[in-house]
Amino acid sequence: MSQTVRVHEVIGRVLAGLGARTVFGVIGSGNFRVTNALLEHGASFHAARHEMGAACMADAYSRITGEVGLVSLHQGCGLTNALTGITEAAKCHTPLLVLTADTAVGDVTSNFHVDQDALVAATGAVPLRIHSAATAAADAARAFNVARHDRQTVVLSMPVDLQEEIVELPGPRTVTVLEHPALQPAQSAVEDLASLLASADRPVILGGRGAKDAKGELRALAGEAGALLIASGGGRGIFEGDEWALDIMGGFATEEAAALVREADLIVAFGAALNDWTTRGGTLTEHARIAQVDDRPEAIGRHRLVDLGVLGDAAVVARAVRDTLGGTGRRTGYRTPEVRERVERARYWKDQPVEPVDEPGFVDPAALTNALDALIPMERVVSVDGGNVNAYPGAHLRVPDEQGYCLPLSFQSIGLGLASSIGAAIARPDRLSVLGVGDGSLLMAAAELDTAVRFRLGMLIVVYNDDAYGAEVHLFPGSTLRDQEIIRFPETDIAAIARGYGCDALTVRSLDDLAGVTEWLDSPRDRPLVIDAKISGRPSWLMEMGHDFTGAGGQGTMPT
């Protein structure tokens, strides 16, 4: 005799069977039962204080682990609260599945009613839904597989009346785990790319977020072709430890690293968008031939015209091109003794001179970040929020590998960093999660400090506190103090606020105040440490440079 269950049980059972194991969310009446169904089948749940925080936690968790992240939301306002985080994930092609309740079918007078599919589509995410009780298992399986295999952010709307309907328990064949074979390139494209590399004198291979699983193949190809290696912001850490690798390309690059890229005669981008931030508005690529390798045809040439586009999986293409080059002999290319010395000098910001700033009572953000970089363990995951100060943690803090960096800036929103850092801490509990954030960004999402304390996360949160929306202060340098009243705030004791949430905290006005960090590192680290760093008021070098390649306005603040 067949067993009958409610639809919410079917959804939880099917998703758990497909591999859903970590859920973030805020629980309301519409998602209470389906979330519990997931937990009953082995998933874990992490309660955020705000829906945007839940979406950002899941996004970061997925970026670090490569798994499908799950978010559970109430209908209507629960979804709208999460939309900024969902948009960020969609722009990054994060494999994320958002489970959101929806109003009962036809109930257009409910206070919770909005056109959820239209809202979701506007963000760039994929709107899907449970269409009926009979199709619930297939609808849920399809949503998970689209997120996982198409690398899409999917929002699955689940009408509350359908969730309560009774259906027969689906058999095991309902759960289908799809194999996703690597996309094979055309042989002619492989030969064309090999020919470009063979004729280049100063080739550079750029690895992006889409090449994280191909780092071994890219290093081998670079060795064969005599190419330097460098990562985009999304792929930072992919080449860490390679003697011929620079750290990061684009706005966060050191000036000497940018010069080495600018002098290249061929740039081959694997899984990288080649957007304005990575190319500094095209100034790093204007003198080189460009080849772009991606497994999505719409990505090739979207931001920059390229000389050659290769459609294929990054690892497969790199391996095939290396095999083709193998018969021509290993080349010196860009790997000369002189360039090797330049690479060594240019790799990290910690090795660049810091112009001293003498503002009593305020600490220089560059010197502060370099000191923290030397102090904290390298087994870390660095997350960055937006604004004037993001260059300091985003560029000066080194990372151990491709799982050591989370850059939630594709939507250029501030306020996503704290939740992202919590998601990273849950993804890699063996590492120190480090967040660099401005005071405005932190206070926008401060409720999630409670989440970090509740989960006993030994995170390091560095608040670059200038008591202002610093990006706007520096983007309008000719404005009067009266004009700036709308973007400046009275001095805020962020350390006291953090202690109120249960964090450890200290105020830093000079490098001598960092002794408390060492004490915390030697402690059990069962709660976050928040550093309220009272920073000097000069603009970051990135803010000054931003005008050079993106023009005035907020477009010069967030490199991705």
Side-chain angles (χ1 to χ4, degrees):
M1 186 174 180
S2 61
Q3 181 183 355
T4 58
V5 295
R6 296 193 186 275
V7 166
H8 56 72
E9 164 68 16
V10 171
I11 296 170
R13 184 184 293 252
V14 167
L15 293 177
L18 285 166
R21 70 186 190 98
T22 306
V23 187
F24 301 84
V26 176
I27 299 303
S29 58
N31 62 328
F32 176 83
R33 296 192 185 281
V34 72
T35 305
N36 272 310
L38 279 161
L39 303 190
E40 288 168 9
H41 292 284
S44 62
F45 179 69
H46 302 274
R49 283 299 190 179
H50 191 279
E51 289 89 350
M52 189 184 78
C56 294
M57 291 174 203
D59 179 21
Y61 178 89
S62 180
R63 295 192 199 197
I64 299 298
T65 64
E67 299 175 16
V68 175
L70 270 79
V71 185
S72 180
L73 305 173
H74 184 65
Q75 64 266 32
C77 50
L79 173 62
T80 58
N81 277 349
L83 283 180
T84 299
I86 290 171
T87 305
E88 170 66 28
K91 285 178 174 289
C92 277
H93 295 274
T94 300
L96 192 69
L97 177 56
V98 180
L99 304 174
T100 181
D102 199 357
T103 49
V105 176
D107 187 6
V108 297
T109 61
S110 167
N111 290 71
F112 294 124
H113 174 72
V114 289
D115 187 342
Q116 295 193 170
D117 290 352
L119 285 172
V120 169
T123 70
V126 178
L128 297 176
R129 60 178 41 249
I130 301 296
H131 292 286
S132 69
T135 63
D139 293 339
R142 178 188 176 210
F144 189 89
N145 286 324
V146 169
R148 176 165 59 185
H149 298 302
D150 293 347
R151 299 198 310 278
Q152 297 269 27
T153 294
V154 176
V155 178
L156 180 65
S157 289
M158 308 171 294
V160 291
D161 55 333
L162 293 184
Q163 287 189 51
E164 296 302 319
E165 290 196 19
I166 296 175
V167 293
E168 288 189 3
L169 184 68
R173 285 181 297 177
T174 304
V175 178
T176 304
V177 180
L178 300 177
E179 294 297 327
H180 190 60
L183 183 62
Q184 302 291 317
Q187 182 58 33
S188 59
V190 169
E191 293 170 357
D192 288 345
L193 182 51
S195 177
L196 281 177
L197 282 165
S199 61
D201 293 319
R202 298 176 303 282
V204 170
I205 288 178
L206 168 66
R209 183 180 289 112
K212 285 186 175 182
D213 293 333
K215 62 180 181 180
E217 289 84 355
L218 294 182
R219 291 181 190 217
L221 174 60
E224 194 72 41
L228 299 186
L229 292 159
I230 196 167
S232 72
R236 189 181 180 204
I238 186 174
F239 301 128
E240 184 61 35
D242 192 294
E243 63 181 337
W244 292 102
L246 296 159
D247 185 16
I248 188 169
M249 182 169 161
F252 284 170
T254 67
E255 285 311 302
E256 182 67 7
L260 283 162
V261 174
R262 197 178 289 114
E263 293 165 21
D265 59 356
L266 173 66
I267 297 172
V268 185
F270 285 83
L274 291 171
N275 58 30
D276 274 349
W277 307 115
T278 301
T279 66
R280 292 194 181 182
T283 61
L284 299 185
T285 58
E286 60 187 345
H287 301 302
R289 303 189 76 182
I290 303 173
Q292 188 176 7
V293 180
D294 209 288
D295 61 2
R296 295 179 298 116
E298 67 272 18
I300 296 176
R302 181 178 181 185
H303 295 276
R304 301 256 94 71
L305 293 176
V306 298
D307 298 283
L308 174 66
V310 180
L311 187 63
D313 176 81
V316 173
V317 172
R319 201 160 40 237
V321 173
R322 186 195 178 203
D323 290 344
T324 303
L325 280 174
T328 64
R330 199 173 180 90
R331 305 181 66 255
T332 299
Y334 216 170
R335 298 190 170 194
T336 66
E338 179 207 356
V339 169
R340 186 177 199 165
E341 292 179 5
R342 291 178 66 190
V343 167
E344 191 68 27
R345 291 195 306 268
R347 183 177 292 124
Y348 297 126
W349 275 101
K350 74 177 182 66
D351 299 319
Q352 312 309 306
V354 175
E355 180 185 344
V357 174
D358 185 17
E359 286 188 48
F362 298 95
V363 65
D364 177 65
L368 168 70
T369 313
N370 285 347
L372 288 170
D373 178 70
L375 197 59
I376 63 179
M378 270 303 296
E379 282 301 304
R380 63 181 76 158
V381 182
V382 176
S383 299
V384 183
D385 212 311
N388 170 52
V389 298
N390 68 358
Y392 299 113
H396 286 245
L397 291 177
R398 293 168 296 157
V399 300
D401 55 28
E402 70 279 4
Q403 288 194 353
Y405 197 57
C406 184
L407 193 66
L409 298 178
S410 289
F411 196 28
Q412 294 194 355
S413 172
I414 66 171
L416 310 190
L418 176 57
S420 297
S421 189
I422 291 171
I426 292 168
R428 289 301 303 260
D430 58 322
R431 291 185 173 182
L432 175 63
S433 185
V434 184
L435 170 65
V437 59
D439 55 303
S441 301
L442 179 82
L443 293 174
M444 195 175 280
E448 300 306 346
L449 289 173
D450 171 82
T451 305
V453 170
R454 187 164 17 98
F455 293 151
R456 301 174 65 85
L457 299 177
M459 302 167 52
L460 179 62
I461 300 168
V462 186
V463 185
Y464 296 82
N465 186 357
D466 59 2
D467 294 313
Y469 289 130
E472 282 63 40
V473 169
H474 300 301
L475 283 168
F476 300 98
S479 57
T480 66
L481 288 177
R482 182 174 179 178
D483 291 337
Q484 292 184 10
E485 286 179 358
I486 57 177
I487 51 176
R488 291 189 180 273
F489 300 90
E491 183 174 348
T492 304
D493 189 344
I494 287 177
I497 293 171
R499 291 188 193 101
Y501 279 104
C503 301
D504 290 332
L506 66 130
T507 300
V508 172
R509 294 184 179 274
S510 76
L511 297 184
D512 294 335
D513 297 328
L514 291 178
V517 178
T518 303
E519 294 174 10
W520 179 80
L521 288 170
D522 293 336
S523 75
R525 280 194 265 163
D526 57 359
R527 67 186 66 192
L529 173 64
V530 176
I531 298 176
D532 182 5
K534 309 296 187 180
I535 63 168
S536 57
R538 72 175 179 182
S540 70
W541 44 267
L542 183 65
M543 290 299 303
E544 294 175 329
M545 181 178 63
H547 288 278
D548 295 337
F549 63 86
T550 57
Q555 296 299 305
T557 64
M558 319 283 185
T560 59

